[in-house]
Amino acid sequence: MTDELVFETYIKASAEQVWEAITTSEFRRQYFFGSTVDADWRPGGRLVSHSPDGELWADNEIYECDPPRLLSHGWRSLYDPELAAEPESRITWTIEPQDGDYVKLTVVHDRLAAAPKTAEHIRGWSFILSGLKSVLETGSGLT
């Protein structure tokens, strides 16, 4: 069992565009299974996510917030009782501008040793990040 999953992708967009796609419902709905996001974007604030029909999917603490460079927050999925019973893991989004109008987006999902069911959902991150890249580069998401 791994305690950490790391995903990297390069996106033809500015750091500000990637930040907006991560932090606004307008973009998030297009690549994150139709979910919305509402947050108090500061350390100690809450990041709340709902399904397309309004079901509470997540309510997690924000650990670090440095727009448009870094966002770190808790992760506990509330839509499934087995996932909701696990302790909160952590997601860290790091956005690094690159030469040629690209950014390198690194997503680290860690603190997974005590959350094995959450760790099994690795395919979800691949889908989400592919969708995020598609939305920003083509204007069309996967969901």
Side-chain angles (χ1 to χ4, degrees), residues 5-24:
L5 302 170
V6 179
F7 304 90
E8 293 180 346
T9 189
Y10 290 84
I11 303 172
K12 183 89 170 150
S14 69
E16 291 79 12
Q17 289 170 313
V18 174
W19 182 265
E20 183 179 7
I22 293 168
T23 60
T24 66

Side-chain angles (χ1 to χ4, degrees), residues 49-129:
S49 178
H50 289 91
S51 72
D53 64 1
E55 176 188 1
L56 180 63
W57 275 0
D59 182 356
N60 299 297
E61 181 179 351
I62 295 174
Y63 304 129
E64 295 180 70
C65 187
D66 182 14
R69 187 186 73 73
L70 177 73
L71 176 62
S72 182
H73 58 85
W75 183 272
R76 191 166 62 93
S77 299
L78 301 177
Y79 60 84
D80 177 289
E82 286 186 354
L83 297 173
E86 293 186 332
E88 188 174 85
S89 54
R90 178 177 61 188
I91 305 292
T92 302
W93 308 76
T94 305
I95 303 165
E96 300 171 275
Q98 306 291 302
D99 290 336
D101 298 323
Y102 282 86
V103 299
K104 176 183 177 186
L105 174 63
T106 305
V107 176
V108 177
H109 191 164
D110 64 358
R111 299 182 181 169
L112 290 166
K117 294 281 186 194
T118 299
E120 289 175 9
H121 288 80
I122 187 171
R123 285 187 49 214
W125 280 113
S126 295
F127 184 82
I128 289 163
L129 296 174

